[in-house]
Amino acid sequence: MSSIEFDSVTKVYDGDIVAVEDFNLTIEGGEFLTLVGPSGSGKSTLLRMVAGLEEITEGTISIGEERVNKLPPRHRDIAMVFQSYALYPHLSVRENMAFGLKRSTNLPDEAIYDRVEDAAELMGIPELLDDLPKQLSGGQQQRVATGRAIVREPAVFLFDEPLSNLDAKLRKHMRTELQRIQQELETTAIYVTHDQEEAMTMSDRIAILNHGKLQQVGPPREVYNDPKNLFVAQFIGSPSMNLFEVSYESTGDDGGRLVGDVDIEVGPERARRIEAAGAERLKLGIRPEHVGVSQRRDDSHVAASVDIIEPLGARDLLYFELGEEADDGSLVTGDAAALEDEQTAPEAEVDERKAFIEPESISEDATDVFLSLDLEQADIFDAETGTNVAHLTREETPPTA
């Protein structure tokens, strides 16, 4: 099991296009780490630098104890699985899986084919060894491509969005298979994807990138529950986090209030952190599972109107708009109120806000609802920098917001 270390790694194209900037990370031997981020975030570039397919502009990459910056790909003891299966159409599955070993080692054919058969058993495709790629389904071709990497018995597996060409059901199945295989082989793995659901379900740790910079790294639950900035909070989690525009007002009693889209009290610890940050504009973030929805109101509830309800099976997803209660008891939605607010111009981006609800807990003809926000699970971000200014781990979270 070989560790991988990135030390101040930077990649610049054409002199001024920065794909990766000052990337520092250590991946432990046997760890399954996923690089996740939107298109153009630098994740595939990092993978290709580990493989030796891209030169490093600055910094150092080490595999085990060896610096590999100038080492040719064939000498790095890695195996890579691509988005494209890259199978030779004229070769059988057996010959496709054996091809790399024949080119890169001096092993006798008997030893090579023994490895191929072992890898085929591991991948569940021993009966396909004599078939041609055109006779295989997409999922079977992906198994062959993965098996071709396994026969190499590498120190490091590199996966570049290997499941993106599969249908949703097969992707979920293959995610489980890849996890099982990596754990059985105890090989270090770097997995690249733009699909945050894949990252959450497969990884020992997730590294989130944006514009070539590392935003946060940690176990899936940690980056989900305790995002360090607004980008991570919005990117990790499906559906995404609800955001509310607010500002802070001190109440002079070791606490304060957030006012704006919602009006809530914050406890002394978060008040202290907000004041220390000095942010004028804030965003309150609450995930859909931490929003309660009722057709009854009490003083702590937030008025909202129903946009649409999506049945999801065990739970439904309710889309809502914030509203204010008019003198006649009706609701004026946030979009209507925004037209009168200079700070919220009509062209400003409006985030869709969502809450999970139990099926049939809201009547089908409901138009007005009331929300209860689980403030113990809330995050508060500087609207300008995106920093989580009142970041508290869940163990630190006080009983009030």
Side-chain angles (χ1 to χ4, degrees):
M1 295 188 293
S2 295
S3 62
I4 304 170
E5 184 171 357
F6 299 86
D7 185 4
S8 301
V9 173
T10 294
K11 176 63 179 179
V12 181
Y13 291 102
D14 300 327
D16 59 353
I17 301 174
V18 181
V20 176
E21 183 175 355
D22 195 26
F23 186 85
N24 293 277
L25 181 65
T26 297
I27 304 171
E28 301 297 335
E31 182 177 14
F32 194 116
L33 180 123
T34 299
L35 296 173
V36 65
S39 298
S41 61
K43 54 190 185 297
S44 290
T45 300
L46 274 168
L47 200 73
R48 291 172 64 83
M49 285 192 286
V50 175
L53 304 177
E54 295 281 0
E55 291 187 358
I56 301 166
T57 305
E58 295 179 11
T60 299
I61 295 177
S62 300
I63 298 177
E65 301 297 323
E66 185 175 13
R67 185 176 184 269
V68 299
N69 286 38
K70 301 298 182 181
L71 205 62
R74 65 182 180 276
H75 294 153
R76 295 193 181 200
D77 199 13
I78 58 97
M80 193 165 182
V81 181
F82 297 91
Q83 179 178 350
S84 169
Y85 310 132
L87 302 179
Y88 295 102
H90 63 290
L91 298 180
S92 68
V93 167
R94 189 190 311 275
E95 294 301 326
N96 265 287
M97 292 176 66
F99 186 84
L101 274 182
K102 287 185 174 182
R103 294 291 300 271
S104 62
T105 71
N106 294 320
L107 288 173
D109 284 353
E110 182 179 356
I112 289 175
Y113 289 121
D114 282 346
R115 282 200 196 181
V116 168
E117 290 182 7
D118 289 343
E121 287 286 346
L122 190 63
M123 296 303 303
I125 54 172
E127 73 282 0
L128 304 179
L129 286 173
D130 295 321
D131 291 350
L132 293 173
K134 67 181 180 181
Q135 298 174 272
L136 308 180
S137 68
Q140 290 170 334
Q141 290 186 53
Q142 185 59 69
R143 288 174 183 270
V144 174
T146 305
R148 181 177 55 193
I150 289 172
V151 298
R152 298 277 305 278
E153 297 181 0
V156 176
F157 280 129
L158 304 177
F159 297 96
D160 191 3
E161 303 198 45
L163 308 183
S164 59
N165 290 334
L166 304 180
D167 63 64
K169 183 177 181 180
L170 189 53
R171 272 204 310 271
K172 290 184 178 180
H173 177 70
M174 285 301 298
R175 287 202 305 246
T176 304
E177 289 295 295
L178 288 178
Q179 280 180 286
R180 176 184 61 80
I181 291 164
Q182 188 268 341
Q183 290 170 0
E184 287 186 18
L185 298 176
E186 297 183 337
T187 304
T188 309
I190 305 178
Y191 188 98
V192 162
T193 182
H194 65 276
D195 185 336
Q196 54 86 26
E197 184 177 336
E198 280 186 11
M200 291 289 292
T201 56
M202 297 181 70
S203 314
D204 294 320
R205 286 191 301 162
I206 300 173
I208 303 101
L209 289 92
N210 189 33
H211 298 305
K213 296 182 179 180
L214 181 62
Q215 303 295 309
Q216 185 171 354
V217 61
R221 290 190 184 277
E222 179 181 302
V223 298
Y224 182 81
N225 289 327
D226 298 302
K228 288 187 176 180
N229 60 43
L230 190 56
F231 175 81
V232 174
Q234 290 182 290
F235 191 83
I236 297 296
S238 180
S240 59
M241 177 180 282
N242 296 305
L243 297 175
F244 304 93
E245 299 278 352
V246 292
S247 58
Y248 173 76
E249 294 180 356
S250 174
T251 58
D253 55 358
D254 295 328
R257 298 190 69 83
L258 296 178
V259 297
D261 288 345
V262 295
D263 187 345
I264 60 173
E265 294 182 359
V266 293
E269 179 60 23
R270 279 186 172 166
R272 180 183 65 79
R273 297 188 184 198
I274 293 171
E275 290 175 2
E280 294 183 3
R281 294 175 53 243
L282 301 168
K283 290 193 176 185
L284 174 70
I286 301 179
R287 297 202 179 275
E289 61 267 31
H290 300 142
V291 179
V293 181
S294 173
Q295 290 182 264
R296 291 187 174 185
R297 177 176 187 169
D298 65 34
D299 291 340
S300 64
H301 284 176
V302 176
S305 63
V306 177
D307 187 4
I308 192 172
I309 297 177
E310 291 184 349
L312 300 178
R315 292 188 296 181
D316 291 348
L317 188 63
L318 179 142
Y319 290 75
F320 64 86
E321 296 178 1
L322 292 180
E324 296 182 1
E325 198 165 2
D327 293 338
D328 61 2
S330 63
L331 287 182
V332 179
T333 66
D335 285 347
L339 296 177
E340 301 177 1
D341 189 342
E342 292 181 358
Q343 296 180 341
T344 312
E347 66 270 15
E349 180 180 351
V350 177
D351 294 317
E352 289 186 323
R353 298 186 176 109
K354 302 159 286 284
F356 284 115
I357 60 174
E358 295 297 319
E360 301 180 354
S361 61
I362 302 297
S363 60
E364 292 183 2
D365 59 350
T367 57
D368 301 339
V369 292
F370 301 97
L371 313 176
S372 58
L373 309 180
D374 186 351
L375 302 179
E376 291 186 14
Q377 304 296 332
D379 291 287
I380 303 169
F381 305 94
D382 184 329
E384 299 296 331
T385 66
T387 304
N388 195 335
V389 299
H391 181 73
L392 300 175
T393 63
R394 295 305 170 225
E395 290 75 17
E396 295 177 309
T397 304
T400 60

